[in-house]
Amino acid sequence: DTGVSQNPRHKITKRGQNVTFRCDPISEHNRLYWYRQTLGQGPEFLTYFQNEAQLEKSRLLSDRFSAERPKGSFSTLEIQRTEQGDSAMYLCASSLIRGESNQPQHFGDGTRLSIL
Amino acid sequence: GNSVTQMEGPVTLSEEAFLTINCTYTATGYPSLFWYVQYPGEGLQLLLKATKADDKGSNKGFEATYRKETTSFHLEKGSVQVSDSAVYFCVVRRNTGKLIFGQGTTLQVKP
């Protein structure tokens, strides 16, 4: 169990640029979640996948945001035309859902996005 | 909708003091409840959980009891240590697995 891995750890970019983050979940986990955390607040749900299917998207996820999990393993989160308000820590979590068993989510260390 | 309210911090205690961090929630049905902890410079870690009414979650000397009648899940520890200094999040899990976090409570323990 190598844990949830996120890359990059930090991303600094100019307003208007596109950015992409990657998340590698724990290998046998079929659920993958994205959250956003701003300073002094708890994480807020963005979207989640079961295997390769994206099952729910938050209203926080504007049309500038897109997430994929093409083979049901790693996932990418892309933000187009970044804005100042996108500055935050983007967290990925994964868990195993099997029948009635719903295991807790394990979190990565996050990608910190700073928009200049 | 679901929401979680935690006591505001920072909470500052001396080593070996008793800790309570209050948490109340609103939710439909019977959600699972969690406390996650974020130590300085580290990622979120699960501290403890409770999946049904009257369950008590415990770990590392911390405890919390799922109280459906008061919709509460208060975190307690009998004797805190400096190493417990961190941000603590009370969390509700919806049926879809989506987590709803409180705003977090910062705990500072002084020697």
Side-chain angles (χ1 to χ4, degrees), chain B residues 33-49:
Chain B
L33 304 176
F34 303 83
W35 279 96
Y36 276 80
V37 59
Q38 193 166 33
Y39 296 103
E42 298 185 18
L44 280 164
Q45 301 175 25
L46 176 67
L47 180 60
L48 54 83
K49 67 176 182 178

Side-chain angles (χ1 to χ4, degrees), chain A:
Chain A
D1 181 355
T2 57
V4 178
S5 176
Q6 290 189 246
N7 287 289
R9 290 294 305 274
H10 304 274
K11 180 70 177 178
I12 301 173
T13 192
K14 293 181 179 179
R15 182 168 55 89
Q17 297 296 304
N18 298 345
V19 294
T20 300
F21 313 138
R22 176 178 171 124
C23 171
D24 288 89
I26 293 172
S27 60
E28 67 270 23
H29 284 186
N30 51 6
R31 285 263 179 106
L32 188 149
Y33 300 81
W34 285 100
Y35 295 84
R36 180 172 69 187
Q37 185 178 18
T38 53
L39 200 60
Q41 300 298 315
E44 295 175 293
F45 170 80
L46 293 178
T47 189
Y48 87 95
F49 293 83
Q50 175 142 339
N51 300 313
E52 65 275 11
Q54 188 173 18
L55 297 185
E56 185 177 349
K57 293 194 290 187
S58 163
R59 286 171 293 183
L60 292 175
L61 216 64
S62 76
D63 57 6
R64 295 185 299 105
F65 288 71
S66 62
E68 295 182 342
R69 194 183 183 198
K71 298 181 180 178
S73 57
F74 73 92
S75 175
T76 57
L77 178 67
E78 181 183 15
I79 309 174
Q80 296 182 326
R81 305 181 302 282
T82 52
E83 301 174 356
Q84 290 282 351
D86 297 332
S87 295
M89 177 74 85
Y90 290 83
L91 297 169
C92 177
S94 70
S95 68
L96 177 64
I97 307 296
R98 183 181 289 152
E100 294 297 314
S101 173
N102 190 346
Q103 299 299 313
Q105 293 175 28
H106 296 259
F107 281 81
D109 288 341
T111 295
R112 183 170 295 284
L113 174 64
S114 298
I115 306 297
L116 301 177

